[in-house]
């Protein structure tokens, strides 16, 4: 993954975002509460537990295992293998929620000169910035709420009801509450949510942290002086991490590679190349043992 990886990541994130939005509409995957079962690739996915005369407990258990247990177990094993080797790569390269956070970061940086309401301004705010951002956040929060509800109710009728302003009471309450919660999260706590509130993200971080040989952002320790006064990689990290720090201090890294791409841009005129790079295996384990001491020595 080199500097051009950001273009590839934009493609994967955009494709997966629209897949997330359109999956219920296309019957790729959703839980239809009106039918009481999942829809997968256009087919009804049920557990087949309709009572049958003379059915033994063993046959019920077998049906549960093949219909639910085996698919869930297989998916879990696959996820653990991926996370064990590559960490939170799903978050940085696919997750539609994380893509929305990065998009809002860029919008805030453009309009008010900072990536969140908690950070200091790096540029003066533009005219009408607060109103524009409020409308953007309200719009994406409502889209997020509708997308989630479309996983639970038939999506085509739902969109038709929205278009004709005829949404029933309970779906309307869901949309109002969900939109409000997303407005709060997108405005005040989006990065905190990814670091401390997302169960999927925390699960990935814990698994990844147990493997010292997993893929991680490496740092060319012997060239530490080349970046003594440069914090470009710190500033670009969407999770507000220090890419040159030890793995324990960047356990929520999403493997987005923005720090690596930024370092490559900063060091483009340096014949020795960038100081940050992807690494794994023995070098990754060695980074964990030596990096804290090297950084401390270079900063003294």
């Amino acid at each position: 993954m080199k500097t051009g990886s950001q273009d590839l990541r934009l493609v994967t994130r955009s494709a997966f975002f629209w897949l997330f939005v359109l999956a219920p509409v296309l019957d790729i995957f959703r839980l239809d509460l009106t039918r009481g079962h999942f829809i997968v690739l256009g087919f009804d996915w049920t557990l087949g537990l309709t009572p049958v005369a003379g059915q033994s407990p063993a046959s019920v258990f077998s049906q549960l295992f093949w219909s639910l247990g085996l698919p869930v177990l297989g998916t879990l094993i696959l996820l653990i293998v991926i996370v064990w080797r590559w960490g939170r790569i799903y978050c940085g390269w696919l997750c539609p929620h994380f893509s929305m956070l990065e998009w809002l970061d860029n919008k805030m940086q453009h309009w008010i000169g900072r990536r969140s309401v908690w950070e200091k301004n790096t540029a003066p705010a533009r005219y009408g910035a607060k109103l524009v951002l409020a409308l953007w956040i309200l719009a994406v929060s409502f889209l997020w709420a509708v997308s989630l509800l479309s996983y639970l109710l038939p999506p085509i009728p739902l969109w038709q009801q929205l278009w004709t302003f005829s949404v029933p009471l309970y779906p309307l309450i869901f949309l109002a509450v969900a939109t409000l919660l997303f407005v709060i999260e997108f405005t005040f706590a989006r990065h905190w949510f990814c670091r401390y509130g997302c169960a999927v993200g925390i699960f990935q971080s814990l698994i990844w942290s147990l493997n010292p040989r997993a893929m991680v952002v490496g740092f060319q320790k012997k060239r530490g002086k080349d970046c003594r006064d440069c914090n470009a990689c710190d500033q670009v990290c969407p999770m507000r991490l220090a890419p040159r720090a030890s793995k324990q201090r960047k356990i929520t890294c999403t493997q987005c590679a923005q720090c690596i791409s930024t370092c490559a841009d900063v060091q483009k005129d340096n014949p020795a190349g960038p100081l940050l790079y992807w690494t794994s295996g023995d070098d990754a384990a060695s980074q964990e043992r030596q990096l804290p001491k090297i950084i401390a020595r270079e900063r003294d």
Side-chain angles (χ1 to χ4, degrees):
M1 301 179 188
K2 300 180 181 180
T3 304
S5 64
Q6 294 309 308
D7 294 331
L8 176 60
R9 200 168 71 90
L10 178 60
V11 172
T12 60
R13 290 187 302 128
S14 300
F16 199 81
F17 177 85
W18 287 111
L19 177 63
F20 168 78
V21 173
L22 296 176
V25 179
L26 301 177
D27 276 346
I28 296 176
F29 178 81
R30 62 188 177 90
L31 170 60
D32 194 325
L33 296 181
T34 63
R35 301 187 192 181
H37 57 253
F38 287 96
I39 307 295
V40 180
L41 299 177
F43 296 97
D44 296 338
W45 183 34
T46 66
L47 298 181
L49 296 180
T50 303
V52 177
Q55 188 177 29
S56 66
S59 63
V60 173
F61 176 80
S62 176
Q63 181 66 39
L64 274 175
F65 175 77
W66 291 107
S67 299
L68 180 63
L70 187 60
V72 171
L73 181 61
T75 302
L76 183 61
I77 292 175
L78 177 62
L79 290 176
I80 290 176
V81 170
I82 293 174
V83 173
W84 178 262
R85 292 192 60 183
W86 294 294
R88 292 179 64 164
I89 197 167
Y90 165 78
C91 296
W93 288 73
L94 295 176
C95 178
H97 181 267
F98 190 74
S99 297
M100 185 63 67
L101 302 192
E102 286 194 71
W103 182 80
L104 287 173
D105 274 0
N106 293 333
K107 287 295 181 183
M108 283 195 168
Q109 183 66 51
H110 174 77
W111 283 97
I112 63 175
R114 50 182 170 170
R115 294 183 299 170
S116 77
V117 297
W118 307 110
E119 298 178 2
K120 295 181 180 180
N121 289 63
T122 57
R126 297 173 181 266
Y127 178 77
K130 292 183 179 180
L131 176 60
V132 172
L133 287 176
L135 292 176
W136 273 120
I137 291 175
L138 180 61
V140 298
S141 298
F142 182 71
L143 173 63
W144 215 248
V146 173
S147 298
L148 291 183
L149 187 58
S150 66
Y151 276 85
L152 303 176
L153 298 178
I156 300 300
L158 174 62
W159 283 101
Q160 292 174 340
Q161 292 165 357
L162 289 170
W163 182 255
T164 58
F165 299 98
S166 58
V167 181
L169 178 60
Y170 290 115
L172 187 62
I173 293 175
F174 176 93
L175 290 176
V177 173
T179 299
L180 176 61
L181 293 177
F182 280 121
V183 165
I184 295 173
E185 193 243 326
F186 286 150
T187 304
F188 300 106
R190 52 186 189 274
H191 308 99
W192 291 344
F193 175 81
C194 284
R195 294 180 69 171
Y196 307 114
C198 177
V200 175
I202 293 174
F203 167 79
Q204 293 178 87
S205 292
L206 292 176
I207 297 298
W208 180 62
S209 67
L210 296 176
N211 182 11
R213 297 169 59 84
M215 186 177 73
V216 69
V217 175
F219 174 57
Q220 293 196 36
K221 302 173 286 293
K222 295 181 180 179
R223 296 177 52 209
K225 292 182 179 180
D226 290 350
C227 65
R228 176 180 294 177
D229 300 320
C230 177
N231 294 313
C233 60
D234 297 358
Q235 296 170 358
V236 78
C237 177
M239 293 294 281
R240 286 31 173 197
L241 305 176
R244 293 168 291 180
S246 62
K247 185 175 180 178
Q248 289 78 7
R249 295 181 58 189
K250 54 186 180 186
I251 191 175
T252 55
C253 173
T254 61
Q255 316 291 38
C256 70
Q258 289 197 58
C259 57
I260 296 177
S261 299
T262 299
C263 185
D265 290 338
V266 173
Q267 300 289 336
K268 61 184 178 181
D269 296 326
N270 190 334
L275 291 89
L276 297 180
Y277 62 100
W278 284 125
T279 186
S280 58
D282 292 339
D283 184 55
S286 176
Q287 290 271 329
E288 288 307 295
R289 291 192 298 267
Q290 301 178 26
L291 184 56
K293 297 180 180 179
I294 295 293
I295 293 179
R297 186 168 64 245
E298 293 297 338
R299 288 180 175 175
D300 289 340

